[in-house]
Amino acid sequence: MAKTVFIKDTAITGKDRTRDFYGLFLGVLREKGLDTTIQLVRLADMGIYSAGIAVRVLPDNHLYTQVGESDIAGIVESIKTGQPYQPRLTKQASTQMRIVLRNCGVIDPEKIEDYIAHDGYHALARCLTELTPEQVIQEMKTSGLRGRGGAGFPTGMKWEFTRKSAGDQRYIICNGDEGDPGAYMDRSVLEGDPHSVIEGMAIGGYAIGASKGFFYIRAEYPLAIERIEKAIKQCHDNGLLGSNILGSQFSFDVEIRLGAGAFVCGEETALLASIEGKRGYPSPRPPFPSVKGLWGKPTCINNVETLANIPVILFKGGEWFSKIGTETSKGTKVFAVTGKVKRSGLVEVPMGTTIEDIVYGISGGAMSGKSVKAIQTGGPSGGVIPKDYFQTRVDYESLQKMGSIMGSGGMIVMDEDDCMIDIAKFYLGFCVDESCGKCAPCRIGGTQMLRLLEKISEGRGVPKDLEQLAMISRAMQKASLCGLGQTAPNPVLSTLNYYRAEYDAHVNDKKCPACKCSKLLSFLIRQDKCVKCGMCFKACPVGAISGNREKGYVIDQEKCIRCGQCFEVCKPAAVLRQ
Amino acid sequence: MAKLTKNDLHSLKAKYAASEKNWIKVGFSTCGIAAGAQKVYDVLCDEARKNNAEIEIKKCGCVGMCSAEPLVEVNVKGLPRVFYGKVDRETAIEIMEKHVCGNLLVNDRIYDVKVN
């Protein structure tokens, strides 16, 4: 392969110097007569950030960072010899590891041949011909895989409980009712690699002794549903679902059920009710679904990501899988990194990776050069983790210790412009909307807490409100019927814990430090800084700004809706926001 | 297709893994389609025909770089495998003319490089 050199200025702020450096580098190559044999390419993104000018040489795979003009000659020389140029040589620190997403973006999800070519259904074949169901369960226990839906219950144990429960019929269910705001890992797996989930379910069915499986997918994922439907049909055509799979004695089939848009139906018992055709109400546990589930039969419910792990575990062995990750959390986790981050998308990292590596190393830190304030994991059931704790290693226990949860894998990045009361209000509002209303703690508690938060963000809060928030939170955690209500106060509790000062500022000083809560803001034009350009006048959507280019402009506080448009457009920063 | 057995799986794997043709993959998950993957795919197919390029154009799922969709991965023998991001009509034409037919990578459009 001919040598290729990639160049990118990885600084987040300031002028992009990629083009200038490209010119310099090309000059040196021309001087040495190498410009025809070595290809020089400017990148739009290199996957590393805040490391000055970065240069990558392929196929040697040498990466250089903080490269200066004086280094060019040395690097060019090293390209000729194939030996690395030591002074600027760097190893890429944070790398992803793909187990769940192994085929996403690699295979054509609508072609079963593509999946088989990438070791697809080989694990199922191994289970059916070489292993007994007990051995499959043992392999899962060895792997240490824990449920990726959020709670982290060991999958092998769940399978064993279901297998050991008495019943003439058992079921396995794939929970694809992904509802956390900002989370879409499951959708991507269902869309990008549907066969891996089907194979995981078939293996699960074999292990627990189920002949029937259900996909529960939310109706908002039409493409995922379409691809799963196609995949199921292909499996039927090829004898990978139906009777006597791969010529064995094992028969298994799956059906799809659609979720009608209720967040609570992601909860096990509500999901079961929904599949049975009843209203999606949760019911008290025990009895657990593994004992008495769908239509009263033993049922195992696994998350999409959990199921996508299973073919790999049984192909490469539980032993192999258990070597990845931390002491208590094995394997990898997929995160949907969204919010105010430079490179939003899906990230799969081994358990035990630090939050810093995910947010800065892989996702490039905050967009537009602002500083990251915190992340929120676990959606409305989780909590915030402030920047000061970004050294935390991601696993089930450590996130719980931080007052958040692993959750299904949503990771929302917030910057200095985000107000924590506003965040808490958003998540609580979500849970209040999605509360099914069956139990009082969740129905009434959630609404009361939301009212208190609204009161605080509008500047009508009193110190006693904060105590009351904490009190209702504890009551909801203890007395709610299902996970939704029990975890709904988490965002409030975690923001109260880490950002008490922000709450105090709202309550005592009637100020919003992040300048987000509009009722506590006022905008003013500083006449000494104003250049009378009229930008604010044009930007104001309600005509609250009056004046002209000779006299200057003023904001009518009565008319102002505090949208902040004038603040955003003002180049000389003459609009004061306080 | 007839019902598969374990041995069929192995022979199928060998059959499909052997192909060493040049290829292009376009991300066709919700994120890609929403960003305009279908248009990019159509343009690539048209251009390949116009240029008589020997290349297989395939669809695939989401690789994870959702902010850079529509994403196009290009594998041409003798060149590094790269991901072009935020691909529009013009970039798609450039990819076909320069990268596939001319063996020259397109500047300022690559969002990731496959490193083995």
Side-chain angles (χ1 to χ4, degrees):
Chain A
M1 195 191 276
K3 304 256 172 158
T4 315
V5 180
F6 296 98
I7 294 179
K8 170 74 183 147
D9 181 0
T10 63
I12 291 175
T13 48
K15 189 181 165 270
D16 189 349
R17 294 173 297 149
T18 312
R19 217 166 256 273
D20 303 341
F21 199 80
Y22 177 85
L24 292 172
F25 208 108
L26 195 61
V28 177
L29 286 179
R30 282 212 180 108
E31 225 169 78
K32 310 237 167 169
L34 291 167
D35 57 315
T36 46
T37 47
I38 297 173
Q39 198 174 151
L40 192 62
V41 186
R42 290 191 302 265
L43 291 182
D45 196 316
M46 203 172 215
I48 42 176
Y49 304 95
S50 304
I53 300 269
V55 174
R56 192 193 283 283
V57 181
L58 286 182
D60 308 340
N61 194 18
H62 296 150
L63 176 67
Y64 307 103
T65 52
Q66 308 289 1
V67 177
E69 226 182 298
S70 54
D71 297 311
I72 298 178
I75 293 177
V76 170
E77 200 53 40
S78 85
I79 297 171
K80 263 170 42 185
T81 60
Q83 293 303 312
Y85 171 72
Q86 291 298 341
R88 297 278 177 249
L89 191 69
T90 322
K91 268 194 105 177
Q92 197 157 356
S94 45
T95 42
Q96 302 198 44
M97 177 173 193
R98 302 206 153 207
I99 295 177
V100 175
L101 301 177
R102 64 193 178 281
N103 290 330
C104 286
V106 176
I107 63 166
D108 185 337
E110 301 192 357
K111 289 196 175 130
I112 191 170
E113 310 89 81
D114 241 12
Y115 181 65
I116 292 173
H118 288 80
D119 300 323
Y121 292 108
H122 286 63
L124 178 63
R126 178 181 171 229
C127 290
L128 296 183
T129 52
E130 293 168 26
L131 303 176
T132 64
E134 287 78 11
Q135 283 172 319
V136 175
I137 290 174
Q138 191 49 50
E139 195 86 15
M140 289 307 296
K141 283 171 137 181
T142 312
S143 77
L145 176 70
R146 293 169 66 177
R148 296 290 192 252
F153 192 80
T155 308
M157 274 167 74
K158 206 180 214 180
W159 284 10
E160 190 169 46
F161 289 149
T162 318
R163 179 163 187 87
K164 286 187 174 157
S165 299
D168 50 346
Q169 171 73 49
R170 295 189 187 84
Y171 297 104
I172 183 162
I173 292 172
C174 167
N175 185 349
D177 193 56
E178 184 178 49
D180 289 359
Y184 59 97
M185 307 73 50
D186 295 351
R187 189 194 73 204
S188 281
V189 174
L190 290 170
E191 286 176 1
D193 194 11
H195 283 288
S196 73
V197 186
I198 296 178
E199 187 179 359
M201 270 177 97
I203 294 170
Y206 175 70
I208 65 171
S211 60
K212 183 99 198 165
F214 287 94
F215 272 98
Y216 190 82
I217 309 174
R218 58 188 300 205
E220 291 92 333
Y221 287 173
L223 188 65
I225 296 161
E226 187 192 314
R227 295 222 168 125
I228 288 287
E229 271 172 356
K230 266 188 199 162
I232 292 174
K233 190 177 175 301
Q234 288 166 350
C235 286
H236 281 144
D237 292 347
N238 290 289
L240 292 162
L241 280 178
S243 51
N244 301 95
I245 293 172
L246 287 166
S248 71
Q249 292 303 307
F250 177 61
S251 299
F252 182 75
D253 212 339
V254 294
E255 266 181 52
I256 302 178
R257 289 286 184 275
L258 302 187
F263 179 65
V264 74
C265 287
E267 198 276 338
E268 288 191 332
T269 55
L271 185 149
L272 292 176
S274 178
I275 291 185
E276 288 173 3
K278 298 177 192 145
R279 184 169 181 159
Y281 265 170
S283 46
R285 295 181 305 182
F288 285 94
S290 57
V291 179
K292 214 172 159 211
L294 199 59
W295 293 297
K297 311 288 183 194
T299 304
C300 175
I301 302 164
N302 288 129
N303 169 267
V304 171
E305 195 185 326
T306 315
L307 289 167
N309 268 302
I310 286 163
V312 190
I313 293 173
L314 284 144
F315 187 71
K316 296 193 176 176
E319 190 75 32
W320 168 82
F321 191 81
S322 69
K323 292 202 176 93
I324 306 161
T326 65
E327 195 56 42
T328 55
S329 309
K330 302 297 184 191
T332 58
K333 179 78 193 87
V334 184
F335 288 100
V337 185
T338 54
K340 294 183 177 161
V341 69
K342 198 171 159 65
R343 194 165 151 155
S344 60
L346 294 182
V347 167
E348 183 171 356
V349 288
M351 296 277 191
T353 306
T354 62
I355 297 171
E356 187 167 321
D357 276 346
I358 299 174
V359 174
Y360 292 101
I362 298 172
S363 301
M367 218 163 19
S368 68
K370 285 187 175 145
S371 72
V372 175
K373 185 174 185 176
I375 57 159
Q376 153 89 21
T377 63
S381 314
V384 295
I385 298 172
K387 192 187 176 191
D388 299 346
Y389 298 91
F390 276 12
Q391 286 305 320
T392 309
R393 295 187 175 275
V394 169
D395 68 17
Y396 291 97
E397 279 71 26
S398 58
L399 287 183
Q400 205 151 24
K401 238 182 268 163
M402 301 290 303
S404 184
I405 58 164
M406 175 77 81
S408 58
M411 186 180 276
I412 297 176
V413 179
M414 294 169 285
D415 71 7
E416 54 202 24
D417 286 346
D418 286 310
C419 164
M420 287 300 148
I421 285 92
D422 196 56
I423 297 289
K425 208 170 73 178
F426 167 77
Y427 283 112
L428 198 68
F430 180 86
C431 286
V432 169
D433 278 348
E434 294 294 342
S435 170
C436 73
K438 185 173 179 180
C439 73
C442 175
R443 184 181 69 235
I444 301 171
T447 310
Q448 290 305 323
M449 279 177 75
L450 188 60
R451 278 194 193 158
L452 285 171
L453 284 176
E454 275 165 1
K455 203 175 139 194
I456 292 168
S457 73
E458 285 169 7
R460 295 182 286 114
V462 290
K464 220 184 124 199
D465 291 342
L466 301 184
E467 281 165 45
Q468 198 153 15
L469 273 177
M471 206 176 71
I472 304 174
S473 294
R474 284 194 293 273
M476 280 178 77
Q477 281 180 328
K478 279 189 187 151
S480 293
L481 179 61
C482 80
L484 195 157
Q486 285 158 11
T487 58
N490 286 358
V492 178
L493 284 174
S494 83
T495 48
L496 255 177
N497 180 20
Y498 292 118
Y499 294 96
R500 179 68 191 227
E502 236 172 85
Y503 277 88
D504 286 340
H506 281 72
V507 172
N508 301 330
D509 313 332
K510 312 293 177 209
K511 289 259 180 268
C512 175
C515 295
K516 184 95 187 177
C517 298
S518 59
K519 287 270 165 68
L520 300 179
L521 283 182
S522 65
F523 292 86
L524 213 69
I525 294 171
R526 292 178 57 171
Q527 299 302 333
D528 56 323
K529 277 197 173 178
C530 179
V531 295
K532 302 185 172 89
C533 65
M535 288 299 281
C536 57
F537 177 77
K538 279 187 203 149
C540 182
V542 291
I545 298 178
S546 58
N548 55 45
R549 297 194 63 169
E550 274 88 50
K551 282 191 199 154
Y553 298 90
V554 284
I555 301 174
D556 183 347
Q557 298 298 330
E558 291 286 300
K559 281 189 190 166
C560 176
I561 56 164
R562 298 169 185 91
C563 65
Q565 293 280 333
C566 51
F567 180 80
E568 293 293 329
V569 297
C570 186
K571 288 243 168 68
V575 177
L576 191 67
R577 182 176 70 171
Q578 57 186 13
Chain B
M1 224 188 294
K3 296 213 166 182
L4 297 176
T5 63
K6 196 181 173 185
N7 291 336
D8 296 337
L9 285 179
H10 288 286
S11 51
L12 271 175
K13 186 186 164 183
K15 184 178 158 196
Y16 288 103
S19 167
E20 272 197 17
K21 261 175 91 176
N22 292 342
W23 50 253
I24 291 181
K25 280 180 193 166
V26 184
F28 260 80
S29 274
T30 298
C31 46
I33 294 171
Q38 186 64 52
K39 202 177 99 191
V40 171
Y41 182 82
D42 293 344
V43 172
L44 285 171
C45 291
D46 279 353
E47 291 299 312
R49 224 172 296 128
K50 265 189 230 161
N51 291 297
N52 272 330
E54 252 198 58
I55 190 142
E56 195 182 348
I57 302 173
K58 305 191 266 192
K59 295 178 181 181
C60 68
C62 160
V63 283
M65 284 189 285
C66 307
S67 56
E69 294 282 357
L71 212 60
V72 173
E73 187 183 359
V74 183
N75 178 45
V76 171
K77 222 176 160 194
L79 292 175
R81 253 166 79 183
V82 296
F83 292 89
Y84 289 99
K86 299 186 183 165
V87 178
D88 51 13
R89 193 187 161 78
E90 283 68 42
T91 316
I93 295 173
E94 268 190 297
I95 290 172
M96 195 51 75
E97 287 177 352
K98 286 196 186 152
H99 189 150
V100 178
C101 300
N103 283 323
L104 285 173
L105 304 181
V106 182
N107 275 321
D108 304 319
R109 288 283 179 265
I110 296 171
Y111 278 73
D112 207 359
V113 178
K114 189 98 184 167
V115 182
N116 288 319

